[in-house]
């Protein structure tokens, strides 16, 4: 079978010494099947030297993949000792030690260990695993290992040397490890050795006794198609795979692509569109023939590209056509785990945030998805590479956006205790954002935890994670304890003076000077405003639309800025409703502004519905930008002096940034 052994570089017989001269971790190697194998970790001289609650996660490579287990360790005479059983099919181990949010991977050597067979020889796959363990984006990395500041990636030629050593001892391993080999070559020597790869693959197809897994044949097929662009070879591989696996990956990919294209060919939005209905039926048949639990760990070009997307089509299509959420319940256990964030985003968070569905309607769907996220069995390699003890924290971090959105939905339904549970769950990831902080303060008050409110707000002020409501609470508390005191001075004292100066300098560095054409616009509530006649004034313009969620999210910061400057007659603020597409956009805009009790002046951009963007285009053409929210400040000559695009989540930060520019322009001679 292996007459055409693919030698990459000259064989090197030297063996690896995994431990540094000053041994911090043992064992250096283990024997397969050993029970009660001891681990000894000496933290002296490491970043965990003074920690008293060290934990050990042991990664075990078996069947060309890693899985993680927790190994309990206890302190004995300054060292941390634990025991574990070595699986008979293990080929390589790698440990990490953690404590207090810090991780010691043992760089530069790492705490890696070869698993030897009964004759104390390396096992098949070990050298390849060792080569790819320290290679970014290799497909056999460990979570966060290569992100460690002390990480030392393996040089490309060294990677190939380890592959060569692997195949010199285990020539029969090459077809099983071929996909990793090709990806390594593409990283290290892109475009080279294609003819050798082709000849090796032909030898695999010609070898009638060769037995590969469905995934391995599929990998070879993708290599032939996409790396070698050899359609004839790809066809031979496909025939071989389909004969061995008639309901395997390649047949599944073909059907997946057909259904995806069927959804793409739908022409109408009607609830009973026949093509959409056929696509839905075909997908039901697809899952019966190719059940999810048989293909959780499958990777192929079409699977990686389309499988998650097709769930979006299947679920969202019915929601948009007929307000029918039944497919969410039908396929909840089939949706790929990584797709859950996007599913919650589209089904719950976007429509809830945009008030397209009521909190009551959003709640059951949000609960369904969150329950699946928190309780999905760890049934894939990607899930098993996280240790059981670390799993909960991993899920909370990975799905923090969905969990936070769920807290908002719970709060809107009056379930404050449940909302607080999820708020505290995601606290490490959102506590320094204004939106989160505002809701958190509201829940503290609502749950009778008022004593925590002011200390938390004080903690948020230096982070620019406050809202007007929070500042009002802080001001009331300050004046209660300091009647007649200067709250503005007190507030400034809570901030970081050095950071304020950096932020001011950054804002002023963005000053520009561009002439622009201005127009007369209708004012909400009646009348008109001629912006061209405002020369002599500093004018702030905020371009927004009723359909633009970031625009509306930034408005509390806009209102905060208006409140700060309301007594200054040299500055005027206008919020320009633009790019609207609905005929009744003015009524929608007025209803929204009224519902939020905003007091600033709203203008309507010029033009017909669908082209209502004359002033916006005038600005965008000069600024060479596109998209809203867009904020512009005009000086006394009517020139654009500053622009800001997007919204970054902090109303106080936004108000500060705008105020730095306004202060400069008001005092400019």
């Amino acid at each position: 079978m292996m007459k055409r052994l693919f030698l990459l570089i000259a064989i090197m017989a030297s063996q690896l010494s995994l431990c540094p001269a000053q041994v911090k971790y043992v064992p250096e190697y283990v024997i397969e099947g050993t029970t009660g194998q001891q681990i000894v970790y000496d933290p002296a001289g490491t970043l965990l030297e003074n920690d008293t609650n060290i934990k050990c996660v042991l990664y075990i490579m078996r069947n060309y993949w890693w899985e993680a287990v927790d190994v309990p360790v206890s302190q004995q005479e300054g060292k941390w000792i634990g025991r574990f059983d070595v699986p008979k099919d293990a080929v390589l181990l790698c440990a990490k030690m953690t404590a207090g949010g810090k991780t010691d991977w043992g760089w530069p050597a790492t705490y890696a260990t070869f698993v030897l067979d009964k004759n104390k020889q390396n096992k098949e796959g070990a050298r390849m695993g060792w080569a790819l363990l320290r290679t970014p984006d290799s497909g056999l990395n460990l979570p966060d290992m290569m992100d460690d500041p002390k990480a030392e990636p393996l040089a490309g030629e060294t990677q190939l040397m380890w592959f060569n050593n692997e195949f010199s001892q285990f020539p029969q391993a090459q077809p099983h490890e071929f996909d990793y080999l090709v990806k390594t070559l593409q990283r290290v020597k892109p475009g080279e050795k294609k003819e050798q790869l082709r000849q090796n693959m032909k030898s695999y197809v010609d070898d009638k006794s060769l037995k590969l897994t469905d995934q391995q044949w599929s990998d070879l097929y993708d290599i032939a198609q996409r790396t070698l662009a050899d359609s004839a070879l790809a066809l031979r591989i496909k025939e071989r795979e389909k004969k061995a696996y008639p309901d395997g990956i390649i047949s599944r990919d073909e059907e997946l692509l057909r259904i995806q294209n069927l959804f793409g060919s739908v022409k109408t939005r009607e609830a009973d569109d026949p093509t959409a209905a056929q696509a839905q039926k075909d997908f039901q048949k697809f899952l019966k023939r190719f059940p999810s639990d048989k293909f959780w760990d499958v990777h192929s070009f079409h699977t990686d590209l389309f499988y998650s997307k097709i769930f979006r089509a299947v679920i969202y299509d019915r929601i948009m056509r007929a307000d029918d959420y039944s497919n969410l319940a039908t396929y909840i256990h089939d949706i790929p785990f990584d797709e859950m964030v996007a599913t919650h985003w589209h089904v719950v968070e976007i429509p809830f945030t945009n008030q397209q569905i009521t909190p009551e309607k959003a709640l059951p769907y949000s609960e369904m998805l969150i329950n699946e996220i928190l309780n999905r069995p760890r049934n894939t390699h990607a899930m098993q590479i996280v240790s059981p003890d670390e799993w909960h924290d991993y899920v909370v971090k990975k799905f923090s956006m969905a969990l936070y959105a769920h807290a908002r939905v719970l709060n809107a339904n009056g379930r404050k205790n449940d909302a607080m549970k999820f708020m505290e769950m995601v606290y490490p990831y959102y506590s320094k954002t204004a939106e989160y902080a505002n809701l958190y303060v509201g829940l503290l008050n609502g749950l009778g935890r008022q004593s925590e409110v002011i200390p938390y707000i004080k903690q948020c002020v230096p982070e620019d994670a406050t809202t007007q409501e929070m500042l009002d609470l802080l001001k009331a508390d300050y004046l209660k304890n300091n009647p007649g005191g200067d709250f503005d001075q007190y507030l400034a004292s809570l901030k970081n003076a050095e950071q304020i100066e950096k932020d001011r300098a950054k804002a002023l560095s963005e000053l520009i000077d561009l002439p622009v054409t201005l127009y007369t616009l209708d004012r909400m509530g009646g009348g008109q405003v001629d912006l061209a006649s405002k020369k002599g004034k500093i004018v702030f313009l905020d371009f927004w639309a009723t359909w633009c969620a970031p625009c509306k999210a930034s408005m509390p910061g806009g209102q905060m800025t208006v409140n700060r400057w309301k007594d200054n007659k040299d500055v005027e603020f206008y919020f320009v409703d633009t790019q609207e597409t609905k005929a009744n956009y003015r009524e929608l805009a007025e209803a929204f502004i009224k519902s939020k009790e905003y007091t600033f002046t709203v203008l309507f951009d010029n033009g017909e519905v669908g082209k209502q963007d004359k002033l916006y285009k005038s600005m965008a053409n000069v600024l060479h930008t596109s998209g809203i929210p867009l904020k512009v400040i005009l000086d006394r000559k009517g020139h654009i002096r500053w622009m800001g695009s997007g919204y970054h989540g902090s109303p106080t930060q936004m108000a500060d940034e705008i105020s730095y520019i306004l202060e400069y322009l008001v005092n400019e001679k």
Side-chain angles (χ1 to χ4, degrees), residues 524-535:
M524 181 183 290
Q528 292 183 321
V529 173
D530 180 7
L531 293 173
S533 71
K534 295 296 178 179
K535 291 181 180 179

Side-chain angles (χ1 to χ4, degrees), residues 487-527:
F487 175 71
D488 290 338
Q489 184 177 356
Y490 168 70
L491 184 64
S493 72
L494 296 177
K495 297 185 177 183
N496 184 316
E498 183 179 348
Q499 187 61 48
I500 289 174
E501 288 309 311
K502 286 182 179 178
D503 292 343
R504 178 182 283 110
K506 180 179 183 300
L508 295 180
S509 72
E510 297 170 354
L511 283 167
I512 53 180
D513 191 345
L514 300 170
V516 66
T517 302
L518 301 172
Y519 300 94
T520 298
L521 307 184
D522 291 345
R523 185 205 313 262
M524 181 183 290

Side-chain angles (χ1 to χ4, degrees), residues 262 265-268 270-282 318 321:
L262 191 59
S265 68
V266 176
K267 301 298 184 184
T268 78
E270 296 173 4
D272 57 352
D273 182 276
T275 306
Q278 186 62 50
Q280 293 280 353
K281 290 178 183 177
D282 287 358
R318 290 304 301 162
R321 285 181 188 283

